[in-house]
């Protein structure tokens, strides 16, 4: 199983970006999908989570500005980021809790990260 993240880049404060992360390989079902981020010199932190039933949860810093969604047919999770601030600058990682084969327990996988830089 591989998670391929994309969509990062340089954006001015107040701008928007949409991150995508697609899971590929042997996958039976995907449970929770999440986005984490890690800023320079800081610990990795949870940004947003979406369950298999499309329930969502956000870090306080992301509420009202970011929106997580998923396309189950494409095994893809998105993070729409609006009103970006310099403090949103970080490497963003996708995370999936999924089942490879029916009857197997779920396992966790990380994407490779995509850099988001918010600067004028």
């Amino acid at each position: 199983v591989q998670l391929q993240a994309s969509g990062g880049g340089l954006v001015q404060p107040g701008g928007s970006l949409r991150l995508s992360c697609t899971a590929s390989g042997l996958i039976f079902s995907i449970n929770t999908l999440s986005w984490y981020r890690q800023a320079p010199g800081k610990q990795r932190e949870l940004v947003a989570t979406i369950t298999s039933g499309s329930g969502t949860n956000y870090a306080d810093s992301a509420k009202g500005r970011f929106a997580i969604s998923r396309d189950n047919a494409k095994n893809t999770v998105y993070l729409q980021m609006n009103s970006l601030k310099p403090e949103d600058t970080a490497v963003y990682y996708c995370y999936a809790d999924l089942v490879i084969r029916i009857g197997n327990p779920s396992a966790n996988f990380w994407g490779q990260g995509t850099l988001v830089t918010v600067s004028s």
Side-chain angles (χ1 to χ4, degrees), residues 81-108:
M81 304 186 294
N82 301 323
S83 302
L84 283 161
K85 306 174 182 180
E87 51 264 43
D88 295 316
T89 295
V91 177
Y92 284 71
Y93 298 91
C94 55
Y95 165 94
D97 177 69
L98 57 85
V99 177
I100 294 176
R101 294 186 180 88
I102 186 171
N104 281 25
S106 65
N108 303 327

PDB file of all heavy atoms in Angstrom, residues 81-108:
ATOM      1  N   MET A  81      -7.708  24.028   2.017  1.00  0.00           N
ATOM      2  CA  MET A  81      -7.194  24.985   2.994  1.00  0.00           C
ATOM      3  C   MET A  81      -7.422  26.394   2.482  1.00  0.00           C
ATOM      4  O   MET A  81      -6.913  26.764   1.410  1.00  0.00           O
ATOM      5  CB  MET A  81      -5.705  24.737   3.244  1.00  0.00           C
ATOM      6  CG  MET A  81      -5.389  23.315   3.683  1.00  0.00           C
ATOM      7  SD  MET A  81      -3.662  23.091   4.149  1.00  0.00           S
ATOM      8  CE  MET A  81      -2.867  23.351   2.557  1.00  0.00           C
ATOM      9  N   ASN A  82      -8.183  27.164   3.217  1.00  0.00           N
ATOM     10  CA  ASN A  82      -8.490  28.544   2.858  1.00  0.00           C
ATOM     11  C   ASN A  82      -7.942  29.495   3.922  1.00  0.00           C
ATOM     12  O   ASN A  82      -7.602  29.068   5.033  1.00  0.00           O
ATOM     13  CB  ASN A  82      -9.998  28.730   2.729  1.00  0.00           C
ATOM     14  CG  ASN A  82     -10.618  27.827   1.679  1.00  0.00           C
ATOM     15  OD1 ASN A  82     -10.015  27.586   0.631  1.00  0.00           O
ATOM     16  ND2 ASN A  82     -11.820  27.345   1.944  1.00  0.00           N
ATOM     17  N   SER A  83      -7.863  30.753   3.571  1.00  0.00           N
ATOM     18  CA  SER A  83      -7.393  31.787   4.508  1.00  0.00           C
ATOM     19  C   SER A  83      -6.091  31.364   5.175  1.00  0.00           C
ATOM     20  O   SER A  83      -5.938  31.450   6.393  1.00  0.00           O
ATOM     21  CB  SER A  83      -8.472  32.055   5.574  1.00  0.00           C
ATOM     22  OG  SER A  83      -9.683  32.447   4.967  1.00  0.00           O
ATOM     23  N   LEU A  84      -5.168  30.935   4.354  1.00  0.00           N
ATOM     24  CA  LEU A  84      -3.918  30.410   4.897  1.00  0.00           C
ATOM     25  C   LEU A  84      -3.095  31.498   5.581  1.00  0.00           C
ATOM     26  O   LEU A  84      -3.104  32.668   5.156  1.00  0.00           O
ATOM     27  CB  LEU A  84      -3.105  29.743   3.790  1.00  0.00           C
ATOM     28  CG  LEU A  84      -3.623  28.352   3.399  1.00  0.00           C
ATOM     29  CD1 LEU A  84      -3.095  27.936   2.034  1.00  0.00           C
ATOM     30  CD2 LEU A  84      -3.230  27.336   4.453  1.00  0.00           C
ATOM     31  N   LYS A  85      -2.400  31.068   6.623  1.00  0.00           N
ATOM     32  CA  LYS A  85      -1.577  31.971   7.424  1.00  0.00           C
ATOM     33  C   LYS A  85      -0.130  31.482   7.410  1.00  0.00           C
ATOM     34  O   LYS A  85       0.122  30.293   7.183  1.00  0.00           O
ATOM     35  CB  LYS A  85      -2.082  31.974   8.871  1.00  0.00           C
ATOM     36  CG  LYS A  85      -3.546  32.294   9.040  1.00  0.00           C
ATOM     37  CD  LYS A  85      -3.972  32.135  10.497  1.00  0.00           C
ATOM     38  CE  LYS A  85      -5.455  32.416  10.677  1.00  0.00           C
ATOM     39  NZ  LYS A  85      -5.867  32.246  12.105  1.00  0.00           N
ATOM     40  N   PRO A  86       0.812  32.361   7.675  1.00  0.00           N
ATOM     41  CA  PRO A  86       2.217  31.905   7.718  1.00  0.00           C
ATOM     42  C   PRO A  86       2.436  30.749   8.690  1.00  0.00           C
ATOM     43  O   PRO A  86       3.268  29.876   8.429  1.00  0.00           O
ATOM     44  CB  PRO A  86       2.959  33.165   8.162  1.00  0.00           C
ATOM     45  CG  PRO A  86       2.132  34.295   7.629  1.00  0.00           C
ATOM     46  CD  PRO A  86       0.710  33.824   7.775  1.00  0.00           C
ATOM     47  N   GLU A  87       1.682  30.717   9.765  1.00  0.00           N
ATOM     48  CA  GLU A  87       1.841  29.636  10.744  1.00  0.00           C
ATOM     49  C   GLU A  87       1.297  28.300  10.254  1.00  0.00           C
ATOM     50  O   GLU A  87       1.467  27.280  10.928  1.00  0.00           O
ATOM     51  CB  GLU A  87       1.193  29.999  12.078  1.00  0.00           C
ATOM     52  CG  GLU A  87      -0.238  30.482  11.978  1.00  0.00           C
ATOM     53  CD  GLU A  87      -0.334  31.997  11.960  1.00  0.00           C
ATOM     54  OE1 GLU A  87       0.475  32.661  11.261  1.00  0.00           O
ATOM     55  OE2 GLU A  87      -1.248  32.531  12.645  1.00  0.00           O
ATOM     56  N   ASP A  88       0.673  28.286   9.093  1.00  0.00           N
ATOM     57  CA  ASP A  88       0.258  27.019   8.484  1.00  0.00           C
ATOM     58  C   ASP A  88       1.401  26.364   7.703  1.00  0.00           C
ATOM     59  O   ASP A  88       1.250  25.235   7.216  1.00  0.00           O
ATOM     60  CB  ASP A  88      -0.929  27.232   7.541  1.00  0.00           C
ATOM     61  CG  ASP A  88      -2.178  27.677   8.264  1.00  0.00           C
ATOM     62  OD1 ASP A  88      -2.489  27.107   9.329  1.00  0.00           O
ATOM     63  OD2 ASP A  88      -2.854  28.606   7.759  1.00  0.00           O
ATOM     64  N   THR A  89       2.507  27.069   7.568  1.00  0.00           N
ATOM     65  CA  THR A  89       3.659  26.521   6.867  1.00  0.00           C
ATOM     66  C   THR A  89       4.150  25.256   7.549  1.00  0.00           C
ATOM     67  O   THR A  89       4.439  25.257   8.751  1.00  0.00           O
ATOM     68  CB  THR A  89       4.795  27.558   6.813  1.00  0.00           C
ATOM     69  OG1 THR A  89       4.371  28.673   6.024  1.00  0.00           O
ATOM     70  CG2 THR A  89       6.055  26.952   6.201  1.00  0.00           C
ATOM     71  N   ALA A  90       4.221  24.175   6.785  1.00  0.00           N
ATOM     72  CA  ALA A  90       4.597  22.878   7.339  1.00  0.00           C
ATOM     73  C   ALA A  90       4.638  21.849   6.222  1.00  0.00           C
ATOM     74  O   ALA A  90       4.170  22.111   5.104  1.00  0.00           O
ATOM     75  CB  ALA A  90       3.590  22.429   8.396  1.00  0.00           C
ATOM     76  N   VAL A  91       5.183  20.693   6.540  1.00  0.00           N
ATOM     77  CA  VAL A  91       5.022  19.530   5.673  1.00  0.00           C
ATOM     78  C   VAL A  91       3.737  18.826   6.115  1.00  0.00           C
ATOM     79  O   VAL A  91       3.573  18.528   7.304  1.00  0.00           O
ATOM     80  CB  VAL A  91       6.214  18.567   5.771  1.00  0.00           C
ATOM     81  CG1 VAL A  91       5.969  17.330   4.909  1.00  0.00           C
ATOM     82  CG2 VAL A  91       7.502  19.277   5.337  1.00  0.00           C
ATOM     83  N   TYR A  92       2.864  18.599   5.167  1.00  0.00           N
ATOM     84  CA  TYR A  92       1.572  17.972   5.447  1.00  0.00           C
ATOM     85  C   TYR A  92       1.631  16.496   5.036  1.00  0.00           C
ATOM     86  O   TYR A  92       2.038  16.167   3.915  1.00  0.00           O
ATOM     87  CB  TYR A  92       0.463  18.696   4.710  1.00  0.00           C
ATOM     88  CG  TYR A  92       0.097  20.016   5.355  1.00  0.00           C
ATOM     89  CD1 TYR A  92       0.963  21.104   5.301  1.00  0.00           C
ATOM     90  CD2 TYR A  92      -1.097  20.171   6.048  1.00  0.00           C
ATOM     91  CE1 TYR A  92       0.657  22.306   5.917  1.00  0.00           C
ATOM     92  CE2 TYR A  92      -1.423  21.377   6.663  1.00  0.00           C
ATOM     93  CZ  TYR A  92      -0.541  22.431   6.592  1.00  0.00           C
ATOM     94  OH  TYR A  92      -0.857  23.621   7.211  1.00  0.00           O
ATOM     95  N   TYR A  93       1.211  15.646   5.952  1.00  0.00           N
ATOM     96  CA  TYR A  93       1.239  14.207   5.741  1.00  0.00           C
ATOM     97  C   TYR A  93      -0.175  13.642   5.788  1.00  0.00           C
ATOM     98  O   TYR A  93      -0.963  13.990   6.675  1.00  0.00           O
ATOM     99  CB  TYR A  93       2.060  13.521   6.827  1.00  0.00           C
ATOM    100  CG  TYR A  93       3.503  13.907   6.880  1.00  0.00           C
ATOM    101  CD1 TYR A  93       3.928  14.974   7.677  1.00  0.00           C
ATOM    102  CD2 TYR A  93       4.466  13.220   6.150  1.00  0.00           C
ATOM    103  CE1 TYR A  93       5.260  15.336   7.736  1.00  0.00           C
ATOM    104  CE2 TYR A  93       5.800  13.572   6.208  1.00  0.00           C
ATOM    105  CZ  TYR A  93       6.194  14.632   6.998  1.00  0.00           C
ATOM    106  OH  TYR A  93       7.514  14.986   7.058  1.00  0.00           O
ATOM    107  N   CYS A  94      -0.469  12.740   4.874  1.00  0.00           N
ATOM    108  CA  CYS A  94      -1.728  12.018   4.975  1.00  0.00           C
ATOM    109  C   CYS A  94      -1.494  10.694   5.701  1.00  0.00           C
ATOM    110  O   CYS A  94      -0.381  10.167   5.715  1.00  0.00           O
ATOM    111  CB  CYS A  94      -2.361  11.793   3.605  1.00  0.00           C
ATOM    112  SG  CYS A  94      -1.309  10.961   2.412  1.00  0.00           S
ATOM    113  N   TYR A  95      -2.561  10.218   6.283  1.00  0.00           N
ATOM    114  CA  TYR A  95      -2.503   9.020   7.130  1.00  0.00           C
ATOM    115  C   TYR A  95      -3.773   8.217   6.887  1.00  0.00           C
ATOM    116  O   TYR A  95      -4.858   8.799   6.785  1.00  0.00           O
ATOM    117  CB  TYR A  95      -2.418   9.459   8.587  1.00  0.00           C
ATOM    118  CG  TYR A  95      -2.696   8.387   9.608  1.00  0.00           C
ATOM    119  CD1 TYR A  95      -1.664   7.661  10.174  1.00  0.00           C
ATOM    120  CD2 TYR A  95      -3.998   8.134  10.033  1.00  0.00           C
ATOM    121  CE1 TYR A  95      -1.912   6.695  11.134  1.00  0.00           C
ATOM    122  CE2 TYR A  95      -4.254   7.167  10.988  1.00  0.00           C
ATOM    123  CZ  TYR A  95      -3.210   6.458  11.534  1.00  0.00           C
ATOM    124  OH  TYR A  95      -3.460   5.491  12.477  1.00  0.00           O
ATOM    125  N   ALA A  96      -3.613   6.913   6.768  1.00  0.00           N
ATOM    126  CA  ALA A  96      -4.777   6.069   6.522  1.00  0.00           C
ATOM    127  C   ALA A  96      -4.766   4.865   7.460  1.00  0.00           C
ATOM    128  O   ALA A  96      -3.716   4.234   7.664  1.00  0.00           O
ATOM    129  CB  ALA A  96      -4.794   5.595   5.079  1.00  0.00           C
ATOM    130  N   ASP A  97      -5.918   4.585   7.995  1.00  0.00           N
ATOM    131  CA  ASP A  97      -6.142   3.354   8.744  1.00  0.00           C
ATOM    132  C   ASP A  97      -6.998   2.465   7.847  1.00  0.00           C
ATOM    133  O   ASP A  97      -8.157   2.806   7.574  1.00  0.00           O
ATOM    134  CB  ASP A  97      -6.863   3.668  10.057  1.00  0.00           C
ATOM    135  CG  ASP A  97      -7.172   2.399  10.835  1.00  0.00           C
ATOM    136  OD1 ASP A  97      -6.241   1.759  11.323  1.00  0.00           O
ATOM    137  OD2 ASP A  97      -8.379   2.066  10.951  1.00  0.00           O
ATOM    138  N   LEU A  98      -6.427   1.388   7.346  1.00  0.00           N
ATOM    139  CA  LEU A  98      -7.157   0.610   6.344  1.00  0.00           C
ATOM    140  C   LEU A  98      -6.970  -0.884   6.538  1.00  0.00           C
ATOM    141  O   LEU A  98      -6.089  -1.327   7.285  1.00  0.00           O
ATOM    142  CB  LEU A  98      -6.713   1.055   4.943  1.00  0.00           C
ATOM    143  CG  LEU A  98      -5.232   0.963   4.590  1.00  0.00           C
ATOM    144  CD1 LEU A  98      -4.862  -0.421   4.109  1.00  0.00           C
ATOM    145  CD2 LEU A  98      -4.868   2.003   3.537  1.00  0.00           C
ATOM    146  N   VAL A  99      -7.794  -1.632   5.845  1.00  0.00           N
ATOM    147  CA  VAL A  99      -7.757  -3.097   5.887  1.00  0.00           C
ATOM    148  C   VAL A  99      -7.301  -3.590   4.528  1.00  0.00           C
ATOM    149  O   VAL A  99      -7.874  -3.226   3.499  1.00  0.00           O
ATOM    150  CB  VAL A  99      -9.145  -3.663   6.227  1.00  0.00           C
ATOM    151  CG1 VAL A  99      -9.121  -5.184   6.199  1.00  0.00           C
ATOM    152  CG2 VAL A  99      -9.596  -3.173   7.601  1.00  0.00           C
ATOM    153  N   ILE A 100      -6.262  -4.413   4.530  1.00  0.00           N
ATOM    154  CA  ILE A 100      -5.715  -4.903   3.261  1.00  0.00           C
ATOM    155  C   ILE A 100      -6.554  -6.060   2.721  1.00  0.00           C
ATOM    156  O   ILE A 100      -6.870  -6.118   1.532  1.00  0.00           O
ATOM    157  CB  ILE A 100      -4.255  -5.340   3.449  1.00  0.00           C
ATOM    158  CG1 ILE A 100      -3.390  -4.125   3.784  1.00  0.00           C
ATOM    159  CG2 ILE A 100      -3.741  -6.026   2.199  1.00  0.00           C
ATOM    160  CD1 ILE A 100      -1.949  -4.471   4.088  1.00  0.00           C
ATOM    161  N   ARG A 101      -6.893  -6.993   3.594  1.00  0.00           N
ATOM    162  CA  ARG A 101      -7.698  -8.153   3.181  1.00  0.00           C
ATOM    163  C   ARG A 101      -8.827  -8.347   4.167  1.00  0.00           C
ATOM    164  O   ARG A 101      -8.680  -8.091   5.354  1.00  0.00           O
ATOM    165  CB  ARG A 101      -6.849  -9.413   3.128  1.00  0.00           C
ATOM    166  CG  ARG A 101      -5.767  -9.439   2.085  1.00  0.00           C
ATOM    167  CD  ARG A 101      -5.082 -10.790   2.027  1.00  0.00           C
ATOM    168  NE  ARG A 101      -4.023 -10.846   1.034  1.00  0.00           N
ATOM    169  CZ  ARG A 101      -2.771 -10.496   1.285  1.00  0.00           C
ATOM    170  NH1 ARG A 101      -2.436 -10.069   2.485  1.00  0.00           N
ATOM    171  NH2 ARG A 101      -1.859 -10.579   0.329  1.00  0.00           N
ATOM    172  N   ILE A 102      -9.939  -8.830   3.678  1.00  0.00           N
ATOM    173  CA  ILE A 102     -11.070  -9.084   4.551  1.00  0.00           C
ATOM    174  C   ILE A 102     -10.649 -10.075   5.629  1.00  0.00           C
ATOM    175  O   ILE A 102      -9.960 -11.068   5.357  1.00  0.00           O
ATOM    176  CB  ILE A 102     -12.279  -9.610   3.750  1.00  0.00           C
ATOM    177  CG1 ILE A 102     -13.509  -9.722   4.652  1.00  0.00           C
ATOM    178  CG2 ILE A 102     -11.953 -10.944   3.076  1.00  0.00           C
ATOM    179  CD1 ILE A 102     -14.785 -10.025   3.891  1.00  0.00           C
ATOM    180  N   GLY A 103     -11.002  -9.747   6.869  1.00  0.00           N
ATOM    181  CA  GLY A 103     -10.633 -10.592   7.994  1.00  0.00           C
ATOM    182  C   GLY A 103      -9.348 -10.184   8.675  1.00  0.00           C
ATOM    183  O   GLY A 103      -9.086 -10.588   9.815  1.00  0.00           O
ATOM    184  N   ASN A 104      -8.534  -9.365   8.008  1.00  0.00           N
ATOM    185  CA  ASN A 104      -7.302  -8.865   8.612  1.00  0.00           C
ATOM    186  C   ASN A 104      -7.611  -7.668   9.504  1.00  0.00           C
ATOM    187  O   ASN A 104      -8.554  -6.918   9.236  1.00  0.00           O
ATOM    188  CB  ASN A 104      -6.306  -8.441   7.536  1.00  0.00           C
ATOM    189  CG  ASN A 104      -5.573  -9.615   6.921  1.00  0.00           C
ATOM    190  OD1 ASN A 104      -6.071 -10.729   6.937  1.00  0.00           O
ATOM    191  ND2 ASN A 104      -4.389  -9.345   6.388  1.00  0.00           N
ATOM    192  N   PRO A 105      -6.782  -7.454  10.528  1.00  0.00           N
ATOM    193  CA  PRO A 105      -6.948  -6.227  11.300  1.00  0.00           C
ATOM    194  C   PRO A 105      -6.510  -5.025  10.471  1.00  0.00           C
ATOM    195  O   PRO A 105      -5.797  -5.175   9.474  1.00  0.00           O
ATOM    196  CB  PRO A 105      -6.005  -6.434  12.492  1.00  0.00           C
ATOM    197  CG  PRO A 105      -4.981  -7.386  11.992  1.00  0.00           C
ATOM    198  CD  PRO A 105      -5.692  -8.291  11.036  1.00  0.00           C
ATOM    199  N   SER A 106      -6.942  -3.857  10.881  1.00  0.00           N
ATOM    200  CA  SER A 106      -6.545  -2.662  10.143  1.00  0.00           C
ATOM    201  C   SER A 106      -5.078  -2.329  10.419  1.00  0.00           C
ATOM    202  O   SER A 106      -4.500  -2.754  11.432  1.00  0.00           O
ATOM    203  CB  SER A 106      -7.433  -1.480  10.529  1.00  0.00           C
ATOM    204  OG  SER A 106      -7.239  -1.134  11.888  1.00  0.00           O
ATOM    205  N   ALA A 107      -4.491  -1.592   9.511  1.00  0.00           N
ATOM    206  CA  ALA A 107      -3.095  -1.180   9.624  1.00  0.00           C
ATOM    207  C   ALA A 107      -2.998   0.293   9.256  1.00  0.00           C
ATOM    208  O   ALA A 107      -3.873   0.833   8.581  1.00  0.00           O
ATOM    209  CB  ALA A 107      -2.216  -2.029   8.719  1.00  0.00           C
ATOM    210  N   ASN A 108      -1.931   0.924   9.710  1.00  0.00           N
ATOM    211  CA  ASN A 108      -1.759   2.356   9.498  1.00  0.00           C
ATOM    212  C   ASN A 108      -0.666   2.631   8.474  1.00  0.00           C
ATOM    213  O   ASN A 108       0.394   1.989   8.505  1.00  0.00           O
ATOM    214  CB  ASN A 108      -1.395   3.040  10.818  1.00  0.00           C
ATOM    215  CG  ASN A 108      -2.419   2.795  11.895  1.00  0.00           C
ATOM    216  OD1 ASN A 108      -3.609   2.678  11.607  1.00  0.00           O
ATOM    217  ND2 ASN A 108      -1.982   2.690  13.126  1.00  0.00           N
TER     218      ASN A 108
END
